Amino acid sequence: GSLERRRCLYLQTGRACCQMVEVLLAALILVCSSVSCGSAGGYTGLPALGGIYYHQYGGAYSGFSGADGEQAQQLDQRFYLLKLPVSRAAMAVGGRLLVFPCVLISVGVLRVPWHFPAWLLIECTLYIVIAVGTVPALYYFLHSLLSVYNSSVCKEREQLYQSKGYQGFWCSLHGAEIAAGLLGCMAAMAYLLSAGLAVRDYRTVHEHKQKPLQL
């Protein structure tokens, strides 16, 4: 009925559109963080294949055998364990950022801000806090990754792979990690925009509440 139509109209508002963008950004942050985490397998020795080692992504390489293969596997595992806490923290943050706008969309569809306008001020405060908190979170994420890439484990791993002619094992930020940082910056700007829209909608609802007959 008319109530359902009014609820669906919320999805066409600027605040709802901004919240859906936040959902998309959070999902992309989550995906990029999981890519950064990678696989723990590294090079796995398969005795049945006569000392050939298979890379974690499924490609067969014959450059490693014996002690070199065991060293590559150990370095991969140690490197993975160094990155794991940072990647898990980024995935946890991305998951929470994904849930937050979904909850706010549900609240808007249920017309809670219309019945309780002060909720919009609470929403604005939460957005500002999250936007400000995103800055140190991004610093921690990038600083921790750079610390891992500057570690002796990463340098030794890079040299070992380069000695066999393999590329792509450089000790530097890769595309998914850079994308996660950029998406975090975009999310912070979206949160600030949502905070401004929440204040605007609060004023609109307050004015309509003051003129019920005209509404």
Side-chain angles (χ1 to χ4, degrees):
S2 60
L3 179 60
E4 295 297 327
R5 287 195 296 270
R6 285 197 297 269
R7 289 177 175 177
C8 292
L9 285 176
Y10 172 75
L11 299 178
Q12 302 175 13
T13 63
R15 200 164 91 254
C17 292
C18 197
Q19 289 166 350
M20 287 186 280
V21 171
E22 293 163 12
V23 171
L24 177 60
L25 292 174
L28 292 175
I29 291 173
L30 188 59
V31 170
C32 291
S33 302
S34 63
V35 172
S36 175
C37 185
S39 172
Y43 277 81
T44 305
L46 299 178
L49 298 178
I52 297 177
Y53 288 81
Y54 274 69
H55 189 257
Q56 59 186 359
Y57 298 112
Y61 297 92
S62 58
F64 290 97
S65 62
D68 286 342
E70 293 178 359
Q71 184 182 10
Q73 184 179 13
Q74 291 175 1
L75 289 174
D76 277 339
Q77 292 174 349
R78 290 170 61 187
F79 180 70
Y80 167 79
L81 292 176
L82 287 176
K83 289 186 66 176
L84 184 61
V86 184
S87 300
R88 282 185 172 175
M91 292 172 64
V93 171
R96 286 170 173 79
L97 293 180
L98 181 62
V99 172
F100 179 66
C102 291
V103 171
L104 294 184
I105 290 174
S106 301
V107 169
V109 170
L110 295 175
R111 295 174 57 97
V112 172
W114 172 255
H115 300 290
F116 183 58
W119 167 259
L120 291 170
L121 298 179
I122 298 174
E123 183 176 317
C124 174
T125 303
L126 292 175
Y127 270 125
I128 294 175
V129 170
I130 294 175
V132 173
T134 301
V135 177
L138 287 174
Y139 172 80
Y140 169 79
F141 175 70
L142 297 175
H143 178 74
S144 300
L145 284 176
L146 290 175
S147 298
V148 172
Y149 288 128
N150 289 328
S151 65
S152 59
V153 173
C154 184
K155 298 297 184 182
E156 185 178 356
R157 177 175 178 265
E158 180 183 33
Q159 293 175 0
L160 178 61
Y161 282 115
Q162 286 183 348
S163 67
K164 301 298 181 179
Y166 296 136
Q167 304 296 323
F169 298 91
W170 300 290
C171 292
S172 59
L173 296 173
H174 59 68
E177 293 162 349
I178 296 174
L182 293 176
L183 290 169
C185 294
M186 294 172 62
M189 292 187 289
Y191 299 145
L192 293 177
L193 177 59
S194 292
L197 292 176
V199 173
R200 184 202 64 180
D201 290 350
Y202 172 78
R203 292 175 178 174
T204 302
V205 172
H206 184 70
E207 290 176 359
H208 286 174
K209 288 286 187 178
Q210 297 296 323
K211 302 176 182 179
L213 294 181
Q214 294 182 15
L215 179 64

